Amino acid sequence: MDQLVIADKTFNSRLFTGTGKFMSNELMEQSLLASGSELVTVALKRVDVDNPEDDVLAHLKHDQFNLLPNTSGARTAKEAVFAAQLAREALGTNWVKLEIHPDPKYLMPDPIETLQAAEEMVKQGFVVLPYIHADPVLCKRLEDVGCAAVMPLGAPIGSNKGLKTLDFLEIIIEQSNVPVVVDAGIGAPSHAAHAMELGADAVLVNTAIAVAGDPVAMGKAFGQAVEAGRAAHLAQVAQPRVTAEASSPLTGFLNQL
Amino acid sequence: MYQDLFYQHNWDDVKASIYSKTAHDVERALGKEKRTLEDFKALISPAAAPYLEQMAQLSHQLTKKRFGNTIQMYTPMYLSNECQNICTYCGFSLDNKVRRRTLSDEEIIREAEAIRGMGFEHILLVTGEANRTVGVQYIKKAIELVKPYFSHIAMEVQPMDQDEYEELIEAGLNTVLVYQETYHKEDYKKHHPKGKKSNFDYRVDTPDRLGKAGIHKIGLGVLIGLEDWRTDSFFTAAHLDYLERTYWQTKYSISFPRLRPFSGGLEPKVEMTDRELVQLICAYRLFDEEVELSLSTREHPIFRDNIIKLGITSASAGSKTNPGGYVVEPESLEQFEISDERSAEEFAEMVKSQGYEVVWKDWDLALQ
Ligand code: SF4
C-alpha cells in the first residue's frame, strides 16, 4: 500500500488506534497488533508518567507502534499546552493529539481553545494533530498555524454512528494541504472503508475495536477495511451516473458562427 | 510557492497525458460530483469534444446553483500605453513605434466619471509596464482618484513585490489580474525577449505574493494562441487548485483571452475554435464550482450572447483598450481590437432578455 507521511514520519498503515476502553491491557495489545496500526494514541491522564513500568505503556513496547499522547482531559488551551509538555518529557515524543473538550457530556471539542493551543504548541516545536469538529474553516485555520494534520470527527466520540459529518468531511478533504484523519464516530469497518474511499488519509478507531465481541478479530477487520478503502480511492471509485436534465440545446449557436 | 509544484510537472508529459484521454475518462469525469485535475484533463481533451452539449448542460446547472441568474459587469480603464517590455503579441510593446500616452490626474477623473456614467461600479485599471512613468506610486494615486466613483477596483499591471501589493490594498485595491500568458517556459522566453516581464519565475509566483499580501481576489489565465491551449489550461487549473488550498480566504477568477489582431501583428501559433472555447469554459466550471469565469469583449457578439448561460459569471462591455479611450482621447492606439462593439447598455439589455440580472455592484470598499 502507498505510504502516508505526516511531519517526519512515514506510515504503512493508515489505521490509527486508541487505547481506551479495552477489557485488559493484554487484549488491547493483541488487538492493536492484529490491526497493523502504527500510530497509537494514549491519554496522558491514564499513564503514570513517573513510573517507567506503567502497565499501559509496557504493552505498547513494540517497534510497530509510535505513540501519540493526547491531551484528553484538558478544558482550556493552557491546560492542553501544559499536558503536551508533560507528555513530551515523559514519553520522549514531540507528537501530540490535541484534544480540548470542556463539555463532559458529549466531549465536543472547543474550536477556539484548540486553535489557540495549536498555535502555541507549534511554536514550541510540537507536531500537532488537533481533534476537532468537522469544520472546514477551522481546518484551514489550523493548517495556517502549522498543524501537521487535522482530525475532524465523523460523529460524536464513542457513538459508533459512522460518518454523520459526511458533507463537511468531503469539503475538508477537498481543501486540505495536510493529511486528514477522520476521528471519532467510526463504529464499523464499513465506516472506515467509506472514509478512506472518500480520500481521507487515515482514520482513528478506538471504541469500535475495544468494545467488539472479539476485539482482536475486529482490529484485524479494521486494518483490512482501511486498506480496501484506500485501494478503492486510488483506483477511482465508479460514480452513480448523473444525466444532465433534458432541456433545449445550449451549444446549437456554435453552428451559426 | 507554486513554482515548487510547477517544476514537478513536465510540459510534454502533461500534454501527452491530456491527448491520451479516452471517452471512458470523459464519461467518468462527467459522472462525478467532485472533479480532480485528472478529470479536468479529460474534459479539455480532444476526447471530450462529442460530449460538449452534456458538458454545457452540467456547466449551466452548476453555475446557476452557485451564482444564480446573474452576470457581473466590469470595464477596463487604460491609464497608459507606456511599456518597457517587448511582448511579441501586444500593441504596447516597446519595439512598436506608437505615440505613448499616460493619463494625468485630471484625465483619470474625467474617464472615471464617464465610465461611472455608463453604469459601471467595477473598474479594471490597466497599464503597460513602465516603472518610471507608471510605477507603484502612480498606480496608488490612480486608485485613490477613482475610489470615489467605484465600489470595486481591480488592476492588471506589472507584477509587484508583496509589500507593494500591501500598500495598494491599503489604498483600496481589491483585485489583481495577472496572466501567466503561457506556462511553457521556453516559449515564454521567446515571447518576452526583453524587459522585466522576461522573468518567468517571478511572474509565476506573483499570485503567491498576492495571497500573502491578503488580496481579496486574484485573476488567472493564459493568452490563448501562444502555445497548446489544453496544456496551458491544465497548468492554470493546477495553479488555481494550489492557490485555493493555500490562500483559502482569497477569491479567484479565470479569463480566456484569445490572441487578437493588433497593430504590429503576431499570428497565433495555435488556433482555438469557438467550440473549443466553450469546451474550456465548461471544463473549468465542472472542475471548480466556485471560480468566477470572466469574458471580455474580445469575443464575437453572438458568442457572448450564448455563453452567458454556459458558465460565465462576469463580463466586460463597452470596453476601450486605449488610454483615454472613453472621453479623453478616443482615437489613441488600442492594445488590441475588440470584437463586441456594443455599448454597455445594449449588452446589459441582451443579458436581461435572457432572464439574467445584470449586477453592477457586488462589493463595497467598506468591506475591505
Ligand atoms: S503585454 Fe503588457 S508588458 Fe507586454 S508589451 Fe503589452 S503592455 Fe507591455
Side-chain angles (χ1 to χ4, degrees):
Chain A
M1 202 155 79
D2 65 324
Q3 293 178 316
L4 167 67
V5 179
I6 300 180
D8 55 349
K9 282 201 174 97
T10 304
F11 300 93
N12 290 308
S13 163
R14 290 168 181 268
L15 172 63
F16 298 171
T17 47
T19 48
K21 303 188 186 176
F22 283 92
M23 227 154 48
S24 69
N25 286 334
E26 287 71 28
L27 199 53
M28 171 193 83
E29 184 179 5
Q30 291 316 311
S31 307
L32 301 188
L33 282 172
S35 77
S37 177
E38 295 170 346
L39 191 72
V40 179
T41 70
V42 231
L44 177 76
K45 64 180 184 188
R46 278 194 59 210
V47 297
D48 180 355
V49 290
D50 296 324
N51 171 15
E53 300 305 311
D54 176 272
D55 199 39
V56 178
L57 296 181
H59 284 89
L60 297 174
K61 280 208 172 99
H62 291 274
D63 286 345
Q64 173 180 339
F65 299 141
N66 293 282
L67 294 189
L68 178 65
N70 71 46
T71 63
S72 166
R75 286 155 305 164
T76 64
K78 216 174 141 194
E79 288 174 9
V81 173
F82 183 65
Q85 288 165 337
L86 275 182
R88 176 156 65 184
E89 283 282 299
L91 305 177
T93 172
N94 62 343
W95 281 52
V96 61
K97 179 182 172 197
L98 170 58
E99 285 190 51
I100 304 180
H101 19 73
D103 140 41
K105 190 168 172 204
Y106 290 106
L107 303 176
M108 285 292 143
D110 182 327
I112 297 164
E113 296 289 324
T114 302
L115 181 62
Q116 279 173 6
E119 191 165 12
E120 179 57 32
M121 287 176 179
V122 170
K123 277 191 199 135
Q124 295 187 16
F126 285 98
V127 173
V128 184
L129 290 76
Y131 164 63
I132 43 175
H133 212 290
D135 178 340
V137 172
L138 181 61
C139 286
K140 292 309 281 185
R141 297 284 302 257
L142 288 162
E143 187 181 313
D144 285 350
V145 302
C147 289
V150 287
M151 306 182 85
L153 55 76
I157 199 164
S159 71
N160 295 327
K161 285 184 178 170
L163 306 182
K164 292 294 174 198
T165 57
L166 183 65
D167 290 359
F168 304 101
L169 290 174
E170 284 180 339
I171 297 173
I172 292 168
I173 290 167
E174 182 194 330
Q175 295 184 341
S176 189
N177 282 321
V178 293
V180 176
V181 183
V182 176
D183 186 3
I186 289 179
S190 55
H191 301 151
H194 189 191
M196 299 307 294
E197 282 168 10
L198 292 175
D201 297 279
V203 295
L204 195 150
V205 181
N206 183 1
T207 307
I209 297 174
V211 306
D214 180 347
V216 178
M218 190 56 86
K220 187 164 179 220
F222 265 102
Q224 291 168 335
V226 167
E227 273 191 42
R230 176 66 185 175
H233 174 70
L234 294 177
Q236 305 199 42
V237 185
Q239 304 287 321
R241 202 179 169 96
V242 196
T243 35
E245 223 168 81
S247 60
S248 50
L250 290 168
T251 52
F253 75 98
L254 287 165
N255 303 326
Q256 316 167 24
L257 283 165
Chain B
M1 301 294 238
Y2 177 63
Q3 218 186 101
D4 307 329
L5 206 70
F6 174 76
Y7 286 112
Q8 289 172 19
H9 292 287
N10 170 288
W11 177 280
D12 294 333
D13 294 348
V14 169
K15 186 169 175 183
S17 133
I18 294 170
Y19 283 85
S20 65
K21 293 290 181 195
T22 62
H24 179 74
D25 297 322
V26 178
E27 284 181 20
R28 189 174 52 222
L30 286 172
K32 281 183 166 179
E33 251 186 70
K34 293 270 180 217
R35 297 173 186 90
T36 62
L37 279 166
E38 278 308 304
D39 297 323
F40 181 77
K41 279 186 189 166
L43 296 173
I44 57 172
S45 74
Y51 298 88
L52 191 60
E53 178 61 26
Q54 212 178 327
M55 285 174 69
Q57 296 286 352
L58 273 170
S59 176
H60 171 68
Q61 286 167 24
L62 290 174
T63 309
K64 210 166 145 160
K65 183 174 93 186
R66 169 63 183 76
F67 296 88
N69 301 311
T70 63
I71 295 288
Q72 269 190 47
M73 303 287 289
Y74 72 96
T75 207
M77 174 169 165
Y78 279 68
L79 299 173
S80 172
N81 61 6
E82 290 272 358
C83 193
Q84 296 300 323
N85 289 324
I86 293 182
C87 300
T88 56
Y89 47 78
C90 174
F92 295 170
S93 187
L94 178 65
D95 55 351
N96 206 3
K97 297 291 167 239
V98 293
R99 198 164 62 81
R100 302 290 167 166
R101 183 125 176 40
T102 298
L103 299 187
S104 68
D105 291 4
E106 181 259 341
E107 288 170 337
I108 291 176
I109 292 173
R110 276 174 60 205
E111 289 280 282
E113 279 169 349
I115 293 169
R116 184 72 186 82
M118 293 158 70
F120 292 101
E121 294 232 21
H122 290 200
I123 187 79
L124 169 64
L125 304 177
V126 187
T127 68
E129 175 158 1
N131 285 314
R132 254 166 295 141
T133 33
V134 287
V136 178
Q137 291 317 310
Y138 175 87
I139 292 164
K140 186 177 174 189
K141 188 73 194 295
I143 290 170
E144 286 161 359
L145 288 169
V146 303
K147 207 157 116 178
Y149 300 93
F150 302 103
S151 58
H152 184 116
I153 303 172
M155 73 173 191
E156 188 181 339
V157 307
Q158 70 275 20
M160 294 174 183
D161 292 341
Q162 186 183 332
D163 57 338
E164 295 172 324
Y165 284 132
E166 282 164 5
E167 193 179 338
L168 297 182
I169 291 166
E170 184 67 32
L173 179 67
N174 308 111
T175 292
V176 173
L177 311 186
V178 55
Y179 305 142
Q180 185 56 36
E181 318 296 13
T182 177
Y183 286 87
H184 189 291
K185 197 168 175 178
E186 289 78 54
D187 247 54
Y188 182 92
K189 283 255 150 44
K190 269 187 239 154
H191 289 293
H192 307 95
K194 188 179 174 296
K196 282 181 86 173
K197 194 168 175 177
S198 56
N199 187 340
F200 179 91
D201 290 347
Y202 186 70
R203 196 166 183 93
V204 138
D205 283 336
T206 306
D208 276 280
R209 296 192 299 279
L210 281 162
K212 291 194 172 107
I215 191 85
H216 174 64
K217 196 196 297 182
I218 301 174
L220 306 172
V222 289
L223 185 54
I224 293 166
L226 294 185
E227 245 306 332
D228 179 65
W229 65 265
R230 301 177 207 269
T231 314
D232 254 337
S233 300
F234 167 80
F235 280 102
T236 312
H239 205 162
L240 172 70
D241 185 60
Y242 157 83
L243 291 167
E244 281 185 334
R245 288 169 196 267
T246 312
Y247 310 102
W248 55 279
Q249 302 193 46
T250 297
K251 287 173 87 172
Y252 298 91
S253 71
I254 301 278
S255 306
F256 324 88
R258 286 196 278 188
L259 199 49
R260 294 284 313 162
F262 71 99
S263 124
L266 171 90
E267 282 299 311
K269 172 174 170 184
V270 199
E271 284 271 15
M272 175 194 236
T273 64
D274 291 327
R275 193 169 279 277
E276 287 168 342
L277 180 51
V278 170
Q279 183 186 350
L280 179 62
I281 290 171
C282 296
Y284 271 117
R285 175 58 67 228
L286 267 53
F287 173 63
D288 189 330
E289 293 182 22
E290 307 297 318
V291 72
E292 292 181 18
L293 300 178
S294 171
L295 194 74
S296 80
T297 52
R298 285 169 185 255
E299 300 306 332
H300 189 276
I302 299 178
F303 187 87
R304 289 189 12 115
D305 294 0
N306 285 282
I307 203 76
I308 300 290
K309 289 208 164 111
L310 298 190
I312 286 295
T313 58
S314 71
S316 57
S319 307
K320 303 292 176 201
T321 68
N322 45 343
Y326 294 95
V327 285
V328 169
E329 191 185 352
E331 299 308 318
S332 72
L333 174 92
E334 302 173 309
Q335 189 185 28
F336 57 88
E337 281 170 29
I338 61 176
S339 191
D340 184 349
E341 308 265 0
R342 289 173 295 182
S343 70
E345 206 176 328
E346 282 173 276
F347 182 78
E349 279 312 313
M350 179 281 296
V351 172
K352 278 187 223 154
S353 73
Q354 295 205 40
Y356 278 69
E357 187 196 348
V358 177
V359 176
W360 299 95
K361 179 176 188 295
D362 189 32
W363 187 248
D364 195 289
L365 291 176
L367 293 170
Q368 186 150 327

